[in-house]
Amino acid sequence: MPEVEKEAVQVYLQTQDLWVLYTDSESNIFGSGLGLVLKIPTGKVIRQSIRCPDMINNEAEYEDVIAGLRLALKYGAKQLKIHCDSQLVVNHVTGTFQIKEQRLQKYQIKICKVLPEFDKCQLDQIPCGKNTEVDGLA
């Protein structure tokens, strides 16, 4: 097989194993709700809602990503792309922003403990308007 064809097959196989996770949370006076949508390479979709009383918005955003990572691992994901609409969480985890609030540092530590369980994991910030599929679950 020519080298170009080998590369094409390798890229195809890598994209076939890519799982995609969408996270969103909502907070109000009654607590927070977390929404997760996990798209599996086979085309199946797993949707999950979690209620979290007594949690502020930023904590809920972190918990949402952590719950999504655990859900993906539970189903066997090894390559994961996460779409999160929280600019704060994405920039904290990627190291772009420094975490100033001590109570949020524990969430980054939790995430950093789970990330090595994946062969590849990418966290991207997306606009709230493009996160509508998971919005209703939160």
Side-chain angles (χ1 to χ4, degrees), residues 10-21 38-41 69 72-73 76-82 115 117-122:
Q10 188 175 7
V11 169
Y12 174 77
L13 291 174
Q14 287 175 348
T15 58
Q16 290 297 75
D17 293 337
L18 184 65
W19 297 51
V20 181
L21 174 68
L38 180 62
K39 295 186 176 186
I40 300 173
L69 289 168
L73 284 172
K78 287 296 177 188
Q79 295 185 44
L80 182 65
K81 186 171 190 173
I82 305 168
L115 289 178
E117 295 187 46
F118 294 92
D119 293 339
K120 179 181 174 185
C121 189
Q122 179 180 335

Side-chain angles (χ1 to χ4, degrees), residues 12-82:
Y12 174 77
L13 291 174
Q14 287 175 348
T15 58
Q16 290 297 75
D17 293 337
L18 184 65
W19 297 51
V20 181
L21 174 68
Y22 293 86
T23 67
D24 191 25
S25 70
E26 297 292 330
S27 298
N28 59 35
I29 59 170
F30 302 109
S32 296
L34 312 180
L36 302 166
V37 172
L38 180 62
K39 295 186 176 186
I40 300 173
T42 61
K44 293 186 180 186
V45 177
I46 299 169
R47 291 177 176 84
Q48 191 172 58
S49 293
I50 303 167
R51 181 152 161 49
C52 298
D54 305 324
M55 191 176 289
I56 63 168
N57 187 45
N58 289 335
E59 291 173 333
E61 294 284 358
Y62 267 106
E63 284 293 342
D64 203 19
V65 171
I66 293 165
L69 289 168
R70 290 183 179 148
L71 180 68
L73 284 172
K74 176 183 173 182
Y75 284 97
K78 287 296 177 188
Q79 295 185 44
L80 182 65
K81 186 171 190 173
I82 305 168

Side-chain angles (χ1 to χ4, degrees), residues 59 62 92 98-109:
E59 291 173 333
Y62 267 106
H92 278 171
Q98 183 179 2
I99 300 175
K100 295 179 181 176
E101 296 179 51
Q102 187 175 5
R103 71 184 195 333
L104 296 180
Q105 289 176 344
K106 66 181 179 183
Y107 292 106
Q108 184 187 33
I109 291 167

